[in-house]
């Protein structure tokens, strides 16, 4: 029983975050194919893993996410974290057709269209959940701290900042391309990658707010899994140190296996 489990965590003084996968939802797409990203060649579009996405512009789906969020809040979650808030990637992008967004792969000015529609979803979600008082956060690709385009998925840092309590770029060093800032293998340089990425993000946040005194909303996801390099306690700790050295005060660790490096963490 999820409500009872959340209560047990609260009894142990644990702050409980519930993760909600948004637009990557093969199950909902199967039941409501009319809301899914379509294939130009016919049927529902799928990425290289066979996963389907809901069209970000499908506003009826927005209310479904709001309903899930309200139910999660009623179960006692302290914060709701929204993941996969983006247009799809990692597939035949020449075959995509966004019926609800109103564009195809050949459409012009996709940056403006995708980023603005995604921001409309952020605004709608924020307005609907504001009355609950629940804390909210959003996951973004790590490159959003430095990229000035939408990375082809609609994500721009500045268009997420106003609508969430925390913004969490997934700045895993293993996910940065070879040669990024001169690193032959960014995964081998956890401190440097996190420091550069989050300094760039913080500079953009300050410019957006036109203030250096506003508390930062940035709370990065850090790497605690082996990819590109062996992530031992030293490498995990290096990322945490870089986060603090940038002036940020919070962070989260990610491991798909749900196994974490205890030695990298302080006891209190």
């Amino acid at each position: 029983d999820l409500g009872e489990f959340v209560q047990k965590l609260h009894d142990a003084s644990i702050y409980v975050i519930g993760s909600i996968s948004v637009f990557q939802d093969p199950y909902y797409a199967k039941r409501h194919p009319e809301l899914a990203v379509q294939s130009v060649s016919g049927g529902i579009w799928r990425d290289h893993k066979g996963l389907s996405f809901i069209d970000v512009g499908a506003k009826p789906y927005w209310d479904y996410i709001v309903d899930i969020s309200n139910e999660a809040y009623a179960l006692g979650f302290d914060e709701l974290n929204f993941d996969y808030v983006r247009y799809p990637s990692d597939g035949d992008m020449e075959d995509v057709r966004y019926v609800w967004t109103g564009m195809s792969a050949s459409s012009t000015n996709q940056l403006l269209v995708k980023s603005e529609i995604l921001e409309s979803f952020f605004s709608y979600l924020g307005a609907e959940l504001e009355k609950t008082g629940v804390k909210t956060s959003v996951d973004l690709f790590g490159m959003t701290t430095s990229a000035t385009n939408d990375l082809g998925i609609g994500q721009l840092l500045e268009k997420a900042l106003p609508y969430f309590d925390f913004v969490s770029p997934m700045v895993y060093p293993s996910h940065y391309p070879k040669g990024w800032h001169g690193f032959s293998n960014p995964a081998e340089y956890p401190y440097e990658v996190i420091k550069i990425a989050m300094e760039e993000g913080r500079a953009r946040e300050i410019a957006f707010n036109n203030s250096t005194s506003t508390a930062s909303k940035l709370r990065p996801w850090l790497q605690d899994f082996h990819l590109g390099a062996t992530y031992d306690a030293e490498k995990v700790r290096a990322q945490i140190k870089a986060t603090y050295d940038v002036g940020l005060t919070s962070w989260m660790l990610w491991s798909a296996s749900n196994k974490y490096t205890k030695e990298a963490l302080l006891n209190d």
Side-chain angles (χ1 to χ4, degrees):
D1 185 286
L2 194 54
E4 291 183 9
F5 180 60
V6 170
Q7 186 56 54
K8 287 182 180 179
L9 295 174
H10 283 162
D11 291 343
S13 300
I14 294 174
Y15 180 80
V16 188
I17 303 175
S19 179
I20 298 175
S21 179
V22 183
F23 295 109
Q24 181 182 285
D25 193 334
Y27 303 102
Y28 199 91
K30 183 177 181 179
R31 289 163 175 76
H32 300 275
E34 74 281 3
L35 300 181
V37 174
Q38 303 295 310
S39 170
V40 173
S41 54
I44 296 176
W45 181 90
R46 291 177 172 82
D47 66 13
H48 292 319
K49 294 181 180 180
L51 299 173
S52 50
F53 282 70
I54 300 296
D55 191 330
V56 175
K59 292 185 179 180
Y61 183 73
W62 297 5
D63 289 323
Y64 170 70
I65 296 299
V66 169
D67 288 344
I68 288 178
S69 301
N70 283 325
E71 289 187 23
Y73 175 68
L75 286 169
F77 285 97
D78 302 296
E79 178 183 324
L80 302 179
N81 171 254
F82 297 93
D83 198 7
Y84 287 97
V85 281
R86 61 179 178 87
Y87 283 82
S89 59
D90 303 321
D92 183 1
M93 303 312 297
E94 295 301 315
D95 190 39
V96 296
R97 186 165 61 96
Y98 303 106
V99 177
W100 292 84
T101 298
M103 70 181 184
S104 64
S106 60
S107 299
T108 59
N109 206 13
Q110 287 196 35
L111 167 61
L112 181 64
V113 174
K114 286 182 177 179
S115 62
E116 287 194 346
I117 290 179
L118 190 58
E119 183 180 20
S120 294
F121 168 71
F122 291 157
S123 176
Y124 184 81
L125 183 67
E128 290 295 311
L129 297 182
E130 185 177 14
K131 55 195 172 194
T132 69
V134 66
K135 295 289 186 183
T136 60
S137 58
V138 63
D139 297 339
L140 302 180
F141 273 19
M143 290 293 287
T144 57
T145 65
S146 53
T148 55
N149 59 39
D150 77 335
L151 304 173
I153 58 173
Q155 288 186 352
L156 285 170
L157 179 63
E158 289 81 359
K159 291 188 178 295
L161 284 170
Y163 307 105
F164 299 92
D165 296 290
F166 303 99
V167 175
S168 298
M170 300 176 285
V171 286
Y172 313 128
S174 62
H175 285 41
Y176 284 82
K178 180 180 179 180
W180 184 80
H181 278 269
F183 300 116
S184 58
N185 179 14
E188 292 284 4
Y189 299 90
Y191 177 86
E192 291 83 356
V193 170
I194 301 304
K195 191 168 189 294
I196 292 170
M198 297 315 299
E199 279 180 338
E200 291 177 338
R202 181 58 179 146
R204 288 176 64 171
E205 183 182 31
I206 290 171
F208 179 77
N209 292 326
N210 195 27
S211 172
T212 58
S213 60
T214 305
S216 179
K217 291 184 175 182
L218 296 177
R219 185 185 63 189
W221 279 106
L222 306 179
Q223 179 171 340
D224 194 1
F225 53 89
H226 305 312
L227 185 63
T230 299
Y231 265 64
D232 53 15
E234 182 180 358
K235 279 188 169 56
V236 175
R237 191 69 205 168
Q239 298 172 91
I240 296 171
K241 183 178 187 305
T243 302
Y244 290 142
D245 287 351
V246 171
L248 303 178
T249 58
S250 59
W251 43 269
M252 298 185 291
L253 294 182
W254 173 250
S255 169
S257 69
N258 203 32
K259 296 178 181 178
Y260 293 90
T261 308
K262 182 179 180 180
E263 296 77 14
L265 306 176
L266 303 180
N267 291 326
D268 53 26

